[in-house]
Amino acid sequence: MTHKIAVLAGDGIGPEIVDEGLKVVKCLQADFGFDAEIEAAAIGGAGYDLAGDPLPEQTLALCRQADAILFGAIGGPQYDDLERELRPEKGLLRLRSSLSLFSNLRPAMLYPQLADASSLKNELVAGLDIMIVRELTGGIYFGQPRGIRHEIERIARSAFDISMLRNRKLCSVDKANVLEASELWREVVTRVAAEYPEVELSHMYVDNASMQLVRAPKQFDVIVTSNMFGDILSDTAAMLTGSIGMLPSASLDADGKGMYEPIHGSAPDIVGKGLANPLATILSLAMMLRYSLRQAELAGMIDTAVGNVLNQGFRTADIAGGAHSVSTAEMGDAVVAALRELG
Ligand code: IPM
Ligand code: MG
């Protein structure tokens, strides 16, 4: 079966890191029998430059018929003065919403090879492996609440399902002591919990959760939370691993179709310098193979290849800690070489 993959490189370092992801796709096609059809389209600032719209119609149409989407990054200082509807971020938000990509999975795991990159003490983060499940198409990002009970239910199920595949421990983060919407959130999550008796559910206020994440992050396994809280907490969790350039993400609809993107941004300050870390994009591709394309074996091989290049000492500048570093393209090439060795 031919998998249709839409590729939206976007702005800033987006095109550089996506190029490395595509090298890996080519390797899978050439050496591992992976059958995929790749088509690129413009989004964000690039969409605005091309068509006066951060989500051009052709781009949305392509994404609708794709099985999965690989996304780079969007935004840049040259677009900061545009009116809100035309800003690059709006393109991403409209895409998430148009495709109902409501379940955003943001893993934060510490690679043992990179333990020293964390800003926290080693014993606090050694072995860290958290999954943040962020509601992605509701909340104050999208204005007035409408039918939110259903929105809470589906993200709760998504989080409980993932908990069942992990350590069966779920922490729901809200602000139920102040916000009416959070009170409903807590009520619905608690009700859905009855369907998952094996999962141990706890609740935490968001201010406390932000503190606990830097105080004792290993108390968490899966966290489920609303759009805005998830945006903030996932950046904190990412930094615990010391390497925002390493972390992938998935945004899924109810049928498992998804968009996959590194959680870092467009990094305008390092564009074109070969400094960007392509591993988050390459690991996003692994998530795509696992969650949308049902190619768990290939996904596992990419994960292994990334671990192997880290073991071999390959580091881009963001994770080199001042030591010798390789370029964006050299890192991509190293992953491809490591993959071939697994073949
Ligand atoms: C993210 C980003 C986006 C968000 C921006 C770019 C719209 O910060 O994916 O976390 O706020 O969701
Ligand atoms: Mg964010």
Side-chain angles (χ1 to χ4, degrees), residues 94-118:
R94 276 170 47 209
L95 185 59
R96 288 172 178 170
S97 175
S98 306
L99 299 181
S100 298
L101 304 172
F102 68 90
S103 179
N104 185 208
L105 311 185
R106 298 191 163 191
M109 58 176 282
L110 185 83
Y111 280 81
Q113 300 94 330
L114 303 178
D116 291 338
S118 175

Side-chain angles (χ1 to χ4, degrees), residues 74 89 92-93 96 106 134 136 141 227 231 235 261:
I74 45 136
E89 291 78 5
L92 176 58
L93 295 180
R96 288 172 178 170
R106 298 191 163 191
R134 170 190 178 196
L136 200 59
Y141 268 62
N227 204 344
D231 180 45
D235 268 27
E261 57 176 308

Side-chain angles (χ1 to χ4, degrees), residues 119-194:
S119 46
L120 291 197
K121 291 192 203 84
N122 214 300
E123 68 263 26
L124 288 184
V125 290
L128 183 80
D129 181 0
I130 298 176
M131 177 71 89
I132 296 190
V133 181
R134 170 190 178 196
E135 201 289 323
L136 200 59
T137 53
I140 50 182
Y141 268 62
F142 291 91
Q144 286 301 308
R146 281 175 306 254
I148 60 176
R149 179 175 290 272
H150 154 73
E151 285 179 357
I152 301 168
E153 254 169 38
R154 63 184 184 178
I155 192 67
R157 286 214 174 80
S158 196
F160 278 106
D161 286 340
I162 287 158
S163 297
M164 286 297 288
L165 299 174
R166 296 176 46 111
N167 294 324
R168 305 187 174 188
K169 215 175 106 191
L170 174 63
C171 180
S172 169
V173 172
D174 63 35
K175 189 73 185 174
N177 50 345
V178 173
L179 302 177
E180 220 175 290
S182 272
E183 229 174 284
L184 178 64
W185 173 279
R186 195 174 278 219
E187 184 191 312
V188 174
V189 171
T190 305
R191 225 197 32 247
V192 173

Side-chain angles (χ1 to χ4, degrees), residues 48-324:
Y48 175 77
D49 291 338
L50 182 83
D53 183 347
L55 180 59
E57 225 168 276
Q58 319 83 281
T59 301
L60 180 58
L62 175 72
C63 291
R64 277 195 202 285
Q65 34 133 323
D67 299 313
I69 302 157
L70 184 66
F71 186 95
I74 45 136
Q78 68 272 46
Y79 306 110
D80 280 352
D81 294 333
L82 287 176
E83 61 177 281
R84 191 153 299 280
E85 287 309 305
L86 295 178
R87 290 183 59 131
E89 291 78 5
K90 206 66 183 187
L92 176 58
L93 295 180
R94 276 170 47 209
L95 185 59
R96 288 172 178 170
S97 175
S98 306
L99 299 181
S100 298
L101 304 172
F102 68 90
S103 179
N104 185 208
L105 311 185
R106 298 191 163 191
M109 58 176 282
L110 185 83
Y111 280 81
Q113 300 94 330
L114 303 178
D116 291 338
S118 175
S119 46
L120 291 197
K121 291 192 203 84
N122 214 300
E123 68 263 26
L124 288 184
V125 290
L128 183 80
D129 181 0
I130 298 176
M131 177 71 89
I132 296 190
V133 181
R134 170 190 178 196
E135 201 289 323
L136 200 59
T137 53
I140 50 182
Y141 268 62
F142 291 91
Q144 286 301 308
R146 281 175 306 254
I148 60 176
R149 179 175 290 272
H150 154 73
E151 285 179 357
I152 301 168
E153 254 169 38
R154 63 184 184 178
I155 192 67
R157 286 214 174 80
S158 196
F160 278 106
D161 286 340
I162 287 158
S163 297
M164 286 297 288
L165 299 174
R166 296 176 46 111
N167 294 324
R168 305 187 174 188
K169 215 175 106 191
L170 174 63
C171 180
S172 169
V173 172
D174 63 35
K175 189 73 185 174
N177 50 345
V178 173
L179 302 177
E180 220 175 290
S182 272
E183 229 174 284
L184 178 64
W185 173 279
R186 195 174 278 219
E187 184 191 312
V188 174
V189 171
T190 305
R191 225 197 32 247
V192 173
E195 299 166 26
Y196 299 86
E198 294 101 326
V199 177
E200 180 198 319
L201 171 68
S202 60
H203 300 275
M204 200 180 275
Y205 296 137
V206 64
D207 46 352
N208 185 25
S210 77
M211 182 171 77
Q212 296 299 333
L213 267 177
V214 288
R215 192 188 73 88
K218 283 191 275 182
Q219 71 185 280
F220 297 108
D221 187 53
V222 180
I223 291 176
V224 63
T225 192
S226 57
N227 204 344
M228 177 62 102
F229 297 160
D231 180 45
I232 299 166
L233 294 181
S234 62
D235 268 27
T236 306
M239 205 51 225
L240 299 177
T241 72
S243 48
I244 197 161
M246 292 291 301
L247 299 178
S249 75
S251 304
L252 305 173
D253 74 3
D255 303 317
K257 170 168 170 167
M259 177 159 84
Y260 297 82
E261 57 176 308
I263 76 160
H264 62 70
S266 58
D269 50 322
I270 59 164
V271 173
K273 297 185 177 157
L275 290 173
N277 185 345
L279 292 182
T281 306
I282 291 171
L283 291 166
S284 297
L285 186 64
M287 282 188 100
M288 174 193 294
L289 289 161
R290 185 168 286 121
Y291 288 100
S292 288
L293 308 183
R294 307 278 158 201
Q295 302 280 326
E297 202 181 323
L298 293 180
M301 287 174 68
I302 293 179
D303 289 340
T304 304
V306 168
N308 288 350
V309 301
L310 292 175
N311 286 338
Q312 289 158 24
F314 287 92
R315 303 280 186 276
T316 42
D318 56 315
I319 51 174
H324 170 75

